[in-house]
Amino acid sequence: MPSKQTKYFIGYLIEGEAATWHIELAKNISKRFGTWELHKKVPSHITIFQSFKTEDINPVKSILRDWIHTRPIPGSLALSGFNHFEERVVFASVDTDASSKQAIEELRGALRQIPTMPIEDFPVWHPHATLANHVSAQEINQIWDYVLSLKMPNFTLPLNNVTLFRFEENQKWVIEESFRLSEE
């Protein structure tokens, strides 16, 4: 009998006031436009490495744990506006300082070394916090017009965690483990 592969992704867990803002806006968009209920399906996050499947997550956890414990807090991320990917996704824009961007690229480089990671699927990193996806072209235009009428987000977040998310059979993403950056 073949082993079962589980689906994961790696991200930064948005917490505190920024998470509350993100959840409330995603919920508001879902209710207003009848779109997929993102706020019920995945915790607030900024994706670092897109979803992948594996039978053994331990090599990934080992790299995340080692990477976290060998670095001081490198910088910050800022939710600072809105944008969209074509006619598919509306999101809060994320700006990174140079040290955060370098730290994330180093982590992504370490992940590339795992033989089972999908290296061909390593697109350029475009940090963002999704507000609406799984939408039609008409919906995206309506949602885009709506978010442009809102006050722009203004949250500066310390790069203090890297979180491994796991996809559950109930079609929901949950936190597998959150790794905290050292404050030393």
Side-chain angles (χ1 to χ4, degrees):
M1 183 168 150
S3 298
K4 183 179 176 202
Q5 290 195 333
T6 303
K7 194 172 183 179
Y8 298 91
F9 79 87
I10 299 164
Y12 167 84
L13 182 64
I14 300 172
E15 299 172 308
E17 194 177 331
T20 301
W21 171 85
H22 182 263
I23 291 165
E24 288 303 314
L25 182 51
K27 185 188 305 182
N28 187 308
I29 289 170
S30 176
K31 284 181 179 178
R32 181 180 280 250
F33 299 99
T35 59
W36 190 70
E37 295 180 308
L38 176 77
H39 61 284
K40 291 183 179 179
K41 301 293 185 181
V42 62
S44 293
H45 70 280
I46 298 165
T47 302
I48 293 173
F49 187 84
Q50 76 282 354
S51 65
F52 60 95
K53 290 182 179 180
T54 186
E55 293 175 15
D56 182 10
I57 196 64
N58 289 324
V60 173
K61 286 184 176 184
S62 179
I63 284 179
L64 294 176
R65 194 173 292 110
D66 290 348
W67 185 82
I68 292 300
H69 291 299
T70 60
R71 283 163 179 72
I73 294 176
S76 61
L77 308 166
L79 298 179
S80 59
F82 298 107
N83 208 332
H84 61 92
F85 291 134
E86 301 164 2
E87 296 177 344
R88 301 175 314 175
V89 178
V90 174
F91 58 88
S93 301
V94 176
D95 294 323
T96 60
D97 59 24
S99 60
S100 291
K101 185 173 179 123
Q102 180 180 347
I104 295 298
E105 289 302 332
E106 287 172 8
L107 174 59
R108 288 168 50 90
L111 291 167
R112 285 183 183 98
Q113 304 308 308
I114 299 173
T116 57
M117 289 300 274
I119 294 174
E120 67 279 357
D121 294 333
F122 259 83
V124 174
W125 185 49
H126 295 288
H128 64 280
T130 301
L131 294 165
N133 60 3
H134 303 286
V135 295
S136 70
Q138 181 181 353
E139 289 170 326
I140 200 114
N141 290 331
Q142 293 170 345
I143 295 166
W144 181 243
D145 288 343
Y146 172 68
V147 298
L148 288 180
S149 73
L150 302 175
K151 181 181 176 186
M152 294 291 182
N154 185 18
F155 298 99
T156 300
L157 309 167
L159 180 55
N160 62 1
N161 75 81
V162 175
T163 301
L164 182 62
F165 298 86
R166 181 183 72 250
F167 193 66
E168 297 275 297
E169 290 183 17
N170 64 0
Q171 304 298 302
K172 182 177 179 179
W173 290 96
V174 298
I175 296 170
E176 168 81 11
E177 189 170 348
S178 192
F179 302 87
R180 295 285 164 182
L181 289 168
S182 169
E183 295 187 30
E184 298 174 5

